[in-house]
Amino acid sequence: MKWMLRLYPAWWRDRYEAEMAALLGDLSHRARPAMLVDLLRGALDARFALAKESTVPVTGPSIRRSIVYALVVWAALSVDIVLSNVIFPSRQGDDTLIVVLDYLAVFAVLATIGFLAARRGTETAGIALCGAIAGAVIGLLTIGTFFVVDNVWLDIVSQQQTKIDGLARSGGGSMRAYINSGLLLGAVVLPAMLAAFGTVLAIGGGSVARWRSSRPRVLG
Amino acid sequence: MSDLGRFADPSILILTSLAGGPKHGYALIKDIEAFTGTTLGPGTLYAALARLENRRLIRSLPEEDRRRPYEITGVGVVALRAYLEHARRVAGVGLKRLAAYA
């Protein structure tokens, strides 16, 4: 009887198919023609009446949770930034490994946001929005942290070899102006980049959640 | 709840069931059967659940073993109480008037 669910519109299946399929499995021993008629009426209702209503009931809470996760990630990154730039600064500026690990951690969180949003029943568009917003928030606030750290502890940060080399390549001038112009560019590029990654990774995480919830389980 | 159309009755049954605690689809059908003798079809059940969720009268909880439980919200509690108190007043008047026929 689960084939009847194909009569429902895509947005409906996106939100309810997995749990309704589980329900039909529970009701399989009671299947009768009236149930087919009921499902047909439900499919018609979803296509013609319910479709006119708002159908994104769980997007709002999922977005709020995504922002909370983004704030936690930003707080962790801020601690990392202060530690690696102020408390234990590297004169050589060779922090490639830490930066790669930071990016991987952020990507993992963005995928997890999609996974959790899908488990809450958020639609694909809502999942993408959660990932994009989380990515943009992480990017924007992290640049904000860099702005504070680089300006408050300029005397420490300006000793990094990468900054010295960068200033020399830029033709000289003030270190503060050089750093802040880079941060200004970063304030545009980093949130946009993380929003794009967030969209893709959240959809990926959401797909994993749906795949896990729809695969048949072996009992016993 | 007057805007729920033909799903008003199933919606009341669902809210009444969820007032006893969160339940997934099959548990709702069994519980409603137990206290009304009425069996909701899966199409009717989910049409009503979607409407209740859209109106923030219920909310879905994290999935458990491919089944998603629902719980009544604060708004749902207020709406159900208002409906049931109105129904009790109507029932009281109706029963009193019917007493004349006894």
Side-chain angles (χ1 to χ4, degrees), chain A residues 8 12 15-16 19-20 22-23 26-27 29-30 35 38 41 45 50 53-54 119-121 213 217, chain B residues 6-7 25-26 33 39 41-44 46-47 50-51 53-56 60 63 65-68 70:
Chain A
Y8 281 81
W12 174 278
R15 168 66 182 82
Y16 294 108
E19 57 188 283
M20 212 165 161
L23 172 62
D26 290 334
L27 292 171
H29 63 288
R30 308 163 61 162
M35 201 180 287
D38 183 70
R41 286 181 71 186
D45 172 69
L50 199 50
E53 296 195 12
S54 165
R119 283 189 51 167
R120 286 179 55 80
S213 67
R217 297 197 178 196
Chain B
R6 72 182 178 88
F7 295 101
Y26 188 54
E33 263 179 355
T39 303
T44 303
Y46 270 89
R51 284 174 168 79
E53 204 175 13
N54 281 347
R55 288 162 178 74
R56 309 284 197 267
S60 60
E63 208 174 78
D65 195 22
R66 298 173 65 203
R67 289 161 181 80
R68 188 180 300 283
Y70 291 86

Side-chain angles (χ1 to χ4, degrees), chain A residues 124-156:
Chain A
T124 303
I127 291 170
L129 193 59
C130 288
I133 289 174
V137 167
I138 292 170
L140 199 60
L141 292 179
T142 301
I143 287 293
T145 300
F146 272 117
F147 179 81
V148 172
V149 167
D150 289 355
N151 281 279
V152 172
W153 291 286
L154 182 66
D155 53 331
I156 299 175

